[in-house]
Amino acid sequence: MKNVLITGSTGMIGHLVLQKCLKHDGVQQVTSITRRKSGVSDPGLVEILHNDFLDYAAIANSFKNQDLCFFCIGVYTGQVSREVFRRITVDYTKAFALALKENSPGATLCFLSGQGADQTEKSPIMFAMDKGIAENFLLSLGFGQTYIFRPGYIYPVTPRKEPNFSYKVMRWLYPLMKKLYPSGVITSQELVDAMVDIGMNGGGKRVYENRDIRGVRPLG
C-alpha cells in the first residue's frame, strides 16, 4: 500500500489523478497540496492548503514517508507573462522536488510535462525550453524513479471552459485529429490512467511521449 502525494489536484489532470488514486486498491493515503479545496471528501484524503509554492518549509512533514508523487501544476502559454510562466513551470517544480527529495528521497516522481519539451534547453519556444529545464532538474535529483509524461493536445473528458480560442478549436477538431494524427492527441482520462499505472507499477521508460502514453495498457 502506497502513500501518494499530489500537487495540482484542482487542475484538469491533477483532479483526475486524485480521484483515480483514491479509488486504487494499492493506495493507502493521498496527500494533496493545493491553494484551494478540491471539493473531494474521502477518508483516505489529507488536503493541505498552502499558498507559497516556492517554500514548503512550513509543511515539510507532509512530504515525509511518501512513496509516489504526481506533480501536475502547470499554466497555459499566453495566460501569464514570460516571467510568471518561468516561475510556475521551472521554479515551482524545483522547489517542490527539493522538498520531496529531502523528506522522501526514494519516492517515485511522475511529472506532467508536454509534447515538444526540449532537454537541450535551447529552444526558442518558451514552453519547450522551460519544460526541458524542469525535466533536466528532476532527472538530476536521483529519485527512486522519475517518469516524465509529454502529452500532446489533451481532450477533456468532461466539459470545461476552454482557456483560449485555440483550445476551443482543438476541442472541435479532436475527432478528426484522432484519426489523422493520433500521436499528437490524447484524452485526459487516457493520460491519467497511464500516469497512475506507471507510477504504481513502474515503467520501461523515463520519458513518455504522447504515442507511448497511448500505448500503455493499465493493469487496473
Side-chain angles (χ1 to χ4, degrees):
M1 299 286 283
K2 295 185 179 183
N3 292 323
V4 178
L5 180 64
I6 302 173
T7 188
S9 60
T10 57
M12 177 177 69
I13 299 303
H15 193 69
L16 289 175
V17 170
L18 174 65
Q19 292 177 319
K20 189 170 183 66
C21 286
L22 288 172
K23 296 176 182 177
H24 201 292
D25 291 340
V27 172
Q28 176 172 282
Q29 178 178 285
V30 176
T31 300
S32 171
I33 298 177
T34 179
R35 281 200 175 101
R36 63 182 189 274
K37 293 184 178 181
S38 65
V40 175
S41 179
D42 189 281
L45 174 62
V46 176
E47 200 163 62
I48 309 295
L49 298 184
H50 186 69
N51 289 317
D52 189 352
F53 284 6
L54 293 175
D55 186 352
Y56 293 95
I59 58 168
N61 285 338
S62 300
F63 287 81
K64 295 184 182 297
N65 302 313
Q66 299 293 345
D67 303 300
L68 172 60
C69 172
F70 294 94
F71 188 91
C72 302
I73 292 177
V75 63
Y76 292 102
T77 304
Q79 279 193 319
V80 296
S81 68
R82 175 71 183 87
E83 179 184 0
V84 174
F85 188 90
R86 169 64 65 89
R87 185 187 310 143
I88 294 172
T89 306
V90 178
D91 298 342
Y92 282 12
T93 304
K94 288 183 176 181
F96 187 90
L98 288 173
L100 183 64
K101 182 65 177 178
E102 181 177 354
N103 292 282
S104 295
T108 292
L109 176 60
C110 294
F111 177 62
L112 180 58
S113 185
Q115 194 172 62
D118 177 21
Q119 289 188 1
T120 71
E121 303 181 14
K122 296 179 180 179
S123 175
I125 301 172
M126 177 179 67
F127 174 89
M129 177 189 289
D130 287 358
K131 283 294 189 181
I133 292 171
E135 290 182 4
N136 286 336
F137 184 79
L138 295 178
L139 291 170
S140 75
L141 291 180
F143 284 103
Q145 294 291 339
T146 300
Y147 299 113
I148 292 168
F149 298 87
R150 294 178 176 173
Y153 167 69
I154 305 171
Y155 179 80
V157 295
T158 55
R160 66 167 186 172
K161 181 180 179 180
E162 297 297 339
N164 54 46
F165 178 73
S166 64
Y167 274 87
K168 291 180 181 179
V169 174
M170 291 290 285
R171 186 179 180 93
W172 183 74
L173 290 175
Y174 173 75
L176 179 62
M177 293 178 65
K178 184 178 180 181
K179 293 181 180 179
L180 299 180
Y181 184 43
S183 62
V185 298
I186 194 167
T187 70
S188 54
Q189 193 63 59
E190 287 174 330
L191 172 58
V192 167
D193 287 347
M195 288 177 65
V196 174
D197 181 73
I198 291 168
M200 290 294 297
N201 302 303
K205 297 174 177 285
R206 291 199 301 180
V207 177
Y208 283 80
E209 300 289 354
N210 195 88
R211 62 181 177 275
D212 303 317
I213 301 169
R214 286 177 57 90
V216 174
R217 297 293 177 263
L219 298 177

